[in-house]
């Protein structure tokens, strides 16, 4: 579904990504892992067209999307749930969810809304509540639900566990697994390395703007170098 080759990107004269190769096939979960500041969000923002890379190629469903307007990338079914949720705090939960179908999925808005409320039953009780008054976990549900309202073909989740309690992190990863089991391809961008590897099919580890490790998640979870870097063992 997504094929990235030799991606170099950054901001102004500052280069962050230094030749990233990455693929995701239909129905997969891939994890993009690394500590804060290694270029994970830079990768997401270039995939979604918010910035134009310095070099390399990004192909989605066989089409080169570098230089496309972000709204056209969204219309094609590539949807990002950004880091930090970025909900509209003064709008209601319902309004936040409906905004997700503004560019894509509008004709199925009612059906998709019911599906979101089945996935996130807690939100059903809070549809009229201002989204900014929700707990962190509930706000993350709104953010993911808003993304799903756009009927994504590929969903990028940027740090969905950020700021959540350990219990809510477990619930969030279970939820992501359930969404993927429905057939949706997911790019999971996370600092939570071991939890992500338990969930993903394959993974890429980014350090200093390059992929230093990649492969099946089940193999990487046993990687001595990875355990030393991220778990201190």
């Amino acid at each position: 579904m997504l094929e990235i080759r030799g991606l170099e990107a950054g901001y102004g004269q500052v280069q962050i990504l230094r030749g990233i190769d990455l693929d995701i096939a239909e129905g997969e979960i891939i994890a993009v892992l690394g500590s804060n500041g290694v270029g994970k969000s830079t990768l997401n923002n270039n995939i979604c067209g918010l910035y134009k890379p310095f070099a390399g190629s990004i192909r989605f469903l066989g089409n080169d999307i570098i230089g496309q307007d972000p709204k056209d990338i969204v219309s094609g079914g590539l949807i990002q749930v950004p880091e930090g949720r970025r909900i509209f705090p003064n709008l209601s939960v319902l309004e936040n969810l409906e905004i997700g179908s503004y560019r894509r999925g509008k004709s199925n808005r009612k059906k998709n809304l019911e599906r979101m409320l089945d996935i996130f039953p807690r939100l059903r009780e809070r549809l009229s509540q201002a989204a900014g008054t929700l707990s962190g976990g509930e706000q993350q549900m709104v953010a993911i639900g808003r993304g799903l309202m756009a009927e994504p073909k590929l969903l990028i989740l940027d740090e969905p566990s950020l700021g959540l309690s350990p219990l809510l992190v477990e619930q969030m990863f279970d939820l992501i697994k359930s969404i993927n089991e429905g057939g949706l391809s997911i790019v999971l961008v996370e600092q939570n390395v071991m939890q992500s590897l338990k969930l993903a099919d394959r993974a890429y580890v980014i350090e200093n703007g390059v992929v230093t490790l990649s492969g099946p998640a089940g193999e990487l979870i046993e990687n001595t170098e990875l355990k030393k870097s991220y778990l201190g063992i």
Side-chain angles (χ1 to χ4, degrees):
M1 295 192 76
L2 184 69
E3 179 183 81
I4 298 172
R5 293 291 179 269
L7 189 68
E8 299 180 14
Y11 308 97
Q13 300 299 313
V14 180
Q15 185 167 351
I16 306 295
L17 302 180
R18 306 175 186 276
I20 298 288
D21 294 342
L22 182 150
D23 297 283
I24 180 169
E26 187 171 353
E28 276 192 311
I29 296 181
I30 67 161
V32 178
L33 307 172
S35 56
N36 194 33
V38 300
K40 303 188 305 296
S41 291
T42 301
L43 174 64
N44 291 349
N45 290 334
N46 278 268
I47 292 172
C48 296
L50 298 177
Y51 296 93
K52 188 173 181 179
F54 301 160
S57 64
I58 305 173
R59 300 184 68 83
F60 177 57
L61 298 175
N63 300 312
D64 183 359
I65 60 172
I66 288 180
Q68 279 193 21
D69 192 300
K71 68 177 183 292
D72 295 328
I73 294 175
V74 168
S75 295
L78 200 164
I79 309 297
Q80 177 180 186
V81 177
E83 179 184 356
R85 300 151 196 157
R86 298 191 193 178
I87 60 171
F88 296 91
N90 296 324
L91 298 183
S92 70
V93 169
L94 176 60
E95 288 167 334
N96 270 272
L97 292 172
E98 289 181 336
I99 283 171
S101 61
Y102 174 76
R103 177 63 56 181
R104 179 180 167 85
K106 189 177 294 186
S107 62
N108 295 322
R109 178 179 287 170
K110 288 185 178 180
K111 181 181 73 174
N112 290 337
L113 178 61
E114 279 303 310
R115 177 170 167 256
M116 290 314 100
L117 297 178
D118 286 341
I119 295 172
F120 304 107
R122 198 179 309 177
L123 298 183
R124 191 181 292 274
E125 307 161 9
R126 292 162 170 76
L127 285 178
S128 61
Q129 187 172 332
T133 65
L134 300 177
S135 69
E138 290 166 343
Q139 289 185 22
Q140 189 64 69
M141 293 176 192
V142 172
I144 295 176
R146 180 181 60 191
L148 293 174
M149 287 288 288
E151 299 180 348
K153 296 178 181 177
L154 174 61
L155 185 67
I156 299 176
L157 298 175
D158 194 349
E159 303 284 6
S161 72
L162 187 67
L164 301 184
S165 69
L167 177 60
L168 285 177
V169 169
E170 289 279 352
Q171 293 175 355
M172 188 59 60
F173 276 88
D174 286 344
L175 174 67
I176 294 167
K177 180 180 180 181
S178 174
I179 293 170
N180 170 254
E181 287 173 347
L184 179 59
S185 303
I186 295 174
V187 177
L188 176 63
V189 181
E190 266 286 349
Q191 295 183 53
N192 193 328
V193 171
M194 290 301 153
Q195 194 101 14
S196 299
L197 288 174
K198 291 176 183 177
L199 178 65
D201 298 299
R202 294 184 300 109
Y204 298 82
V205 179
I206 298 178
E207 294 181 7
N208 299 318
V210 298
V211 174
T212 55
L213 287 171
S214 65
E219 294 180 8
L220 291 185
I221 204 168
E222 299 299 329
N223 186 281
T224 304
E225 184 179 338
L226 194 67
K227 288 181 177 179
K228 184 177 179 180
S229 297
Y230 290 96
L231 299 181
I233 59 177

